[in-house]
Amino acid sequence: MSSADKRRWRTAETLQDLGTLMAAWLIGDIASQPGYQPNCGPDEETRHLIPVLVAANRLGYVTDSSQPGNAETGYDGQWWEQRAAVSGVIDDPQLRDRLVAAAQLAGLTVVQHDLTPRRDAEGVPVTRSQGSVHTRFGGFLPARDLRTVWQPEIIGRRAFEKVTAAWQLTLVDPEWGRDDVLWEALAEVVRQYRLEAVENKVRHTRTVLDLAYLKKRYAWPEGARQALTVQLGAELDAAIDEARLSGCSDADIELVTRGT
């Protein structure tokens, strides 16, 4: 890993920071990530998943492994099958609960661990050929294994502590070869989160800029209103940009801003 990439990863202090950096790696703004071959981007088979993975990471579900669902003849001439799957760490309980609820509603398999292994601690088979399982997702990772994936000498002590304290969350499509259900469920949670953020920001802006509210808090309400309009407008624009980056349409964004 280059010195420049190491410096960027060392800036992380929270899972949100790690998610932002992981998103940057997914789109090629960072050449290397911890626990992965240096100067290598995402595997070719996951290229079409980059938009939803970027959106999920920026929201706080920091992914470390993912694969599409497919069924085809492999490199050895044998028939190979994959289940769509994604794994990562998350410390936002509301986001975790929403992802779990959406996954269960879509009929997906959910595996989650906190500091101790829970059910399916050995992981769920996600790749098979000729009756043999070749890959599993969702196995419990103790701290010593997390050190391999999220090297503390790269991301720093504070960020690594956040990783070890987080939930390990894995979502797997139980149907071999299917490649749309999991990713749409994940994307929908992200979109709803971002739209709610925009909606809440609009409500907050209207409350704060209300003249009656300002008169209670400021000696010069009109001056405060001018300054706050600039600040809150920038915050709203940032929330709208995040919503667009997460796949929200302009029509959906307009709906929540006008309907608030």
Side-chain angles (χ1 to χ4, degrees):
M1 184 182 294
S2 70
S3 297
D5 283 355
K6 286 180 180 179
R7 283 194 297 271
R8 290 190 68 177
W9 285 105
R10 289 286 291 185
T11 64
E13 295 190 357
T14 66
L15 280 194
Q16 190 76 46
D17 294 338
L18 284 179
T20 299
L21 290 166
M22 181 60 73
W25 173 79
L26 284 163
I27 63 176
D29 284 348
I30 298 179
S32 305
Q33 64 145 310
Y36 202 73
Q37 186 174 352
N39 299 309
C40 285
D43 289 343
E44 188 62 36
E45 71 169 4
T46 61
R47 293 278 176 188
H48 66 291
L49 305 179
I50 287 177
V52 66
L53 293 175
V54 166
N57 274 278
R58 288 177 65 86
L59 193 60
Y61 178 34
V62 187
T63 62
D64 50 46
S65 295
S66 60
Q67 70 173 37
N70 61 42
E72 61 187 7
T73 301
Y75 69 97
D76 57 358
Q78 303 299 325
W79 188 251
W80 287 75
E81 293 178 304
Q82 285 189 176
R83 285 168 162 158
V86 61
S87 66
V89 290
I90 187 170
D91 62 2
D92 180 337
Q94 184 183 51
L95 177 57
R96 187 200 76 205
D97 290 348
R98 288 199 187 188
L99 287 172
V100 170
Q104 291 175 337
L105 184 63
L108 304 174
T109 299
V110 177
V111 182
Q112 51 183 330
H113 309 292
D114 52 13
L115 296 179
T116 55
R118 304 242 168 176
R119 72 177 184 87
D120 297 316
E122 75 285 356
V124 177
V126 295
T127 307
R128 68 183 182 185
S129 179
Q130 300 297 296
S132 298
V133 173
H134 290 261
T135 309
R136 293 175 182 268
F137 270 40
F140 173 69
L141 296 177
R144 65 176 181 273
D145 292 337
L146 287 170
R147 285 180 175 274
T148 301
V149 180
W150 297 104
Q151 301 164 20
E153 63 271 20
I154 299 294
I155 67 173
R157 178 181 57 82
R158 289 185 180 180
F160 184 71
E161 288 175 352
K162 296 294 184 181
V163 169
T164 56
W167 282 81
Q168 300 170 24
L169 178 64
T170 298
L171 309 177
V172 180
D173 191 328
E175 184 172 322
W176 294 92
R178 187 167 61 179
D179 193 41
D180 54 354
V181 175
L182 188 158
W183 311 115
E184 179 53 33
L186 181 57
E188 181 60 22
V189 171
V190 175
R191 288 193 295 265
Q192 288 302 316
Y193 236 79
R194 292 304 189 189
L195 287 173
E196 287 177 14
V198 171
E199 186 175 20
N200 291 336
K201 186 62 64 177
V202 171
R203 283 201 179 100
H204 176 68
T205 298
R206 289 176 178 169
T207 298
V208 171
L209 295 182
D210 180 75
L211 192 56
Y213 176 86
L214 290 170
K215 286 180 177 178
K216 293 179 181 178
R217 295 179 61 88
Y218 298 97
W220 187 33
E222 287 296 343
R225 192 178 200 180
Q226 292 176 11
L228 287 169
T229 297
V230 174
Q231 174 190 333
L232 294 173
E235 292 175 2
L236 177 58
D237 287 344
I240 290 174
D241 287 343
E242 284 288 355
R244 289 195 177 109
L245 286 171
S246 299
C248 299
S249 68
D250 287 341
D252 287 338
I253 294 171
E254 184 177 3
L255 186 63
V256 298
T257 54
R258 286 189 174 183
T260 303

